[in-house]
Amino acid sequence: MAFTFAPFSYMLALLLTAVLIFFTIWHIIAFDELKTDYRNPIYQCNTLNPIVLPEYLIHAFFCVMFLCAAEWLTLGLRMPLLAYHIWRYMSRPVMSGPGLYDPTTIMNADILAYCQKEGSCKLAFYLLAFFYYLYGMIYVLVSS
Amino acid sequence: MQVPSGYGVHPQNYIPPSGHYPQGPGKMTSLPLDSQCGDYYSGLYTVPTQNVVTSNTANQQPGAQHMYGRGPPAPHIVGSTPGSFQGAASSTSHLHTSASQPYSPFVNHYSSPAMYSANSSVASQGFPSTCGHYAMSTVSNAAYPSVSYPSLPAGDPYGQQMFTSQNAPTVRPVRDNSFSGHSTAIGHPSPLPPPPSHQYHQQQSLSGCSTLSWSTSGLPSTQDNLVRNHTGTLATASSNPTNTVADSLSCPVTQNVQPLKSSPVVPTVLPGASSTRTPPAANRPVEPVASVTQPSELLQQKGVDSSSTTSSASPVPNSYDALEGGSYPDMLSSSASSPAPDPAPEPDPAPAPAPSAPQPSKMAKPFGYGYPALQPGYQNATAPLNSAVPPSSPGYSGFQPYAQYPGMNQLSSSLGGLSLQSSPQPESLRPVNLTQERNILPMTPVWAPVPNLNLDLRKLNCSPDSFRCTLTNIPQTQALLNKAKLPLGLLLHPFRDLTQLPVITSNTIVRCRSCRTYINPFVSFIDQRRWKCNLCYRVNDVPEEFMYNPLTRSYGEPHKRPEVQNSTVEFIASSDYMLRPPQPAVYLFVLDVSHNAVEAGYLTILCQSLLENLDKLPGDSRTRIGFMTFDSTIHFYNLQEGLSQPQMLIVSDIDDVFLPTPDSLLVNLYESKELIKDLLNALPNMFTNTRETHSALGPALQAAFKLMSPTGGRVSVFQTQLPSLGAGLLQSREDPNQRSSTKVVQHLGPATDFYKKLALDCSGQQTAVDLFLLSSQYSDLASLACISKYSAGCIYYYPSFHYTHNPSQAEKLQKDLKRYLTRKIGFEAVMRIRCTKGLSMHTFHGNFFVRSTDLLSLANISPDAGFAVQLSIEENLTDTSLVCFQTALLYTSSKGERRIRVHTLCLPVVSSLADVYAGVDVQAAVCLLANMAVDRSISSSLSDARDALVNAVVDSLSAYGSTVSNLQHSALIAPSSLKLFPLYVLALLKQKAFRTGTSTRLDDRVYAMCQIKCQPLVHLMKMIHPNLYRIDRLTDEGAIHVNDRVVPQPPLQKLSAEKLTREGAFLMDCGSVFYIWIGKSCDNNFIEDVLGYPNFASIPQKMTHLPELDTLSSERARSFITWLRDNRPLSPILHVVKDESPAKTEFFQHLIEDRTEAAFSYYEFLLHIQQQICK
């Protein structure tokens, strides 16, 4: 029947997830470049830091959207990542600007490995989410 | 045999590593440069820094390849009259404050190189190839770097150079000429185009063929003096044994020079080849001399060698591809990723033009004497070998299985490790029952364990003072390392003051084409023409010029070159290793003059020290200096030459700091010396009546950054309180009630990232900030320290400093300043650490900025800086039996020379856990753990760090107990190599940085942490575990002789009150502090003879000096203390502590084996560990 809020939020999520996937791939490439000495960590951190908050906000926006659309299952699936984001941002190093990455510590092998792992996990999560939204959108459209 | 084949595989696989060098850097480096240009201030700057600017232009036009300084002289040369030289020389000569005369003896031999180069430049048009050989190596230089300027060692080392003396008259002009290049730049704008350093000219001039001027280039005036002296001494020294030789020597040399000089044309004629040969022949006599003298007389000597090489070196002069090892590798080398760029340095193209020439050229090199530079030990070793073995066999022959070819080294390398298994070390594995052993501490100082390599490799290996590994037997796999539960890492002291260091002047610095490793003693020569890299296993060609060995004057013995005979060498780098002309030494002092600072009175001491040491500041004629002061406003001082008195410019807009005048704030030290002295005399009294209590440190640092960014250099900041104005202001975070808390210690990390960001900016502009914090109150060192931490500066902290109330701190500041101002310094440095494929760097500790996975960016490097690196094993090392680590430190010396100091360490690989334990270097391990614990306490919490330290002991001992030792588990067993581990860890737990329960001010704690991070191992160990000696009964038994003084060597006592008898007097050496504890019933004779007081009661409470009394015991005590004081960066202050004085708590808290209210005694700690293990 009508085009309700639920399918709309799925469609929007679909689009924005594509953006998130792009961000994540950007991260992965950036860390890989750091690992292989292609880039200056200062430069790299300066490019990465500005896109951290947008990513987190987009994701938080999803949660709000699905909350409004009363898609509880989807919301439940998203909550852990939201919690992770909040924790991650709370425990960031002392910085005056937005962002997470400190050029003086990023080259530490542990931190670099952690960031790389985080990037690939997120990529997997977003990809799955992308297809889930696709499925969810069609399901909602068909069922309504 | 299988081993070699295994190696064979690697080269192909190993491509990836090569890749990274090129690109990464490019971007990084570009940053600073760009910013520099972009900075809107930069415009202004161009004017002030003439030198710099010119150099830049030079840099940009590398393609043009002209010779700056050289250009003018060249024509003269063509004229071929010595007179012409003179002219050039005269113009320049006056630049040097020190008269040119002194140089003369010394100069000669330089001159010869210089001349050659000059000739070559001329001739080169015709025969480019020929010019190459003339390059001389500068022998003298070699010695110089290692020595700290202020106190040069005895002349012996330099002895070799003396023979030049005869040439002096003729030579001098030439030399000056070369000099003029850099000196003129500064002093006299006009005469010659100012080449920043001659290094520049060298390679670029002339098509393709590089002239080898280096040799002459860098000699600093001070150095010259040195050399002179030495030569004198040397002459006498050598004369006895080898009089005849010496004579012959000098003669030949002169001959060489003369002919060449007179006929510059020589090179042009192909016969030149033959003619060129003659010089070497002449030199030959020299070498023998050197070698003879060395063993006998000049033990310390190091030689210098100079092998110069030739023309081929930079066919592509301007490509920075090769730069990598050094500083800006990344940026430059972007092209390098492909092998193509690398070849540039290699001779291939160049040699081609004159195939016939190259060989003669090699022979022609004058360098001969340089070689004696080898360390005596090596020389002795190699000499017999040489004679015994056919020429083709390398120095290594000793361990080579096959005598015929050096190439066999690869096998030898594999064999090196094998020896281990066959002969386990019983001593280091001897089980020690810790709880039973009462005297665990040996009577003599603990030395670094020697890696279990065969004798030849052992001899070649890097000194443990510069380079240590926590495990001298590297486990084969990460799994094995995990089982051993020991930290794996390196402790570095790369820029240490060395008494001997071979310096190599060569046009081609031989490096692996894929991983860019410098050739080192542990590579293997497959045959005469190829060598296999010991880090990545790639097979490389031996460049043509490397085939000639000036030491033996033979061709085809690359394995006997000094690079391959010494694991610590220094190269004079070519312009390939520069992104810009080498910067001058630039020093900026930023001084707090708020009320608090004036009250503390440090200005008097600082200005006094500066006045005394103004002439000893490392630098050349381009040295620049500037001053800023700040309270709530920022004051600049215009010291432009010509002013009648210093001009103070005040900037009160601290929100948007600007420089009041673009130039003349940083002035040439020599041109404006009078003004500088005026200022230093006036400064202490200028602010005596100030009411200003605020401190605008942040804006002052921003201004300093703007001032320094065009050149880079060193900023010394003196701060006495919490910054309270402008950017970077800080709040007090310390709660005094929490000082002795056993729970959480907060605020170990920075409160703001302002200082870190600024430090990164500074680092990008090659500026280091050294912080002197002299405060009586909390000043948030944790935040302030960031400014030095990330800009590769150093940190000094003087709690409760006051020039009258706290004289010991004042004295300490004075001594520290003396060292600080006069010690060696390297500018715009980078350090790269490479290790054998399979190992990888994990985390770095120290003061620097990590620019890529193995590259540290160091705006300044000081001889007192230490570094630590954690390693991990990424691939199994099953197909190799040796691993190597190489650090390459590329820096600009204070004389404007680009140099690379390379250390190479070789260690065996083992496959059994027992062998891993056998090779533990417990001091290195403890220092690495301390570094890791600092990181942990900042990122997590102090209690976490403490737990981690205890766990390190528990884990390693339990792992040892369960796997290696077969003894019953009830006892606490450690291998002998680890027996001190629990003691040292306990000492760490009681160290200021990590202790809890004892009242510790936050700044003190943070400072201790900073020191752990940046002190070299030797000093750090004393901080962690002080040495205690009983000094009331010093005897000459076992005494050593140092400089004609007898230094008694009392045994070490364990750090426990049980050792302190009331009848004795004890000296505790804590690194930066000495305590002498006097027992209540100490012998009155001792008190009278050593302290100069009749009895115990009359000793004053605060006593910081031992009087110079003319008694035997006083002499012994003083010579012992002086001996302890020597060779350490922070001159320790002495406190005499009476048994009853309140100061004794300071002393007693260092007795770490005793129990305190808050901490275990050593025995309790052992029981605790045992309990943990049994759990």
Side-chain angles (χ1 to χ4, degrees), chain B residues 120-195:
Chain B
S120 64
S121 64
V122 177
S124 61
Q125 293 141 351
F127 298 71
S129 61
T130 54
C131 49
H133 359 139
Y134 294 121
M136 280 267 310
S137 54
T138 59
V139 178
S140 59
N141 277 344
Y144 132 67
S146 58
V147 186
S148 64
Y149 301 81
S151 64
L152 288 174
D156 306 349
Y158 300 90
Q160 300 161 350
Q161 295 136 2
M162 15 167 326
F163 48 82
T164 56
S165 60
Q166 308 204 351
N167 301 336
T170 56
V171 178
R172 198 209 308 165
V174 176
R175 185 269 180 70
D176 288 349
N177 191 354
S178 62
F179 240 127
S180 62
H182 81 262
S183 60
T184 48
I186 304 166
H188 298 252
S190 57
L192 297 177

Side-chain angles (χ1 to χ4, degrees), chain B residues 160 286-296 372 379-380 551:
Chain B
Q160 300 161 350
V286 175
E287 293 186 355
V289 173
S291 60
V292 174
T293 54
Q294 275 187 332
S296 60
Q379 275 211 339
N380 293 339
L551 180 59

Side-chain angles (χ1 to χ4, degrees), chain B residues 643-666:
Chain B
L643 290 177
S644 59
Q645 61 177 43
Q647 215 174 42
M648 184 169 166
L649 307 164
I650 300 179
V651 172
S652 54
D653 182 6
I654 55 170
D655 293 329
D656 182 19
V657 186
F658 59 94
L659 299 181
T661 121
D663 53 355
S664 72
L665 295 179
L666 279 175

Side-chain angles (χ1 to χ4, degrees), chain B residues 434 440-442 446 922 926 976-985:
Chain B
L434 293 173
I440 204 79
L441 195 69
V446 182
V922 68
V926 165
S976 174
S977 57
L978 271 180
K979 67 180 181 183
L980 293 174
F981 197 30
L983 178 63
Y984 284 155
V985 168

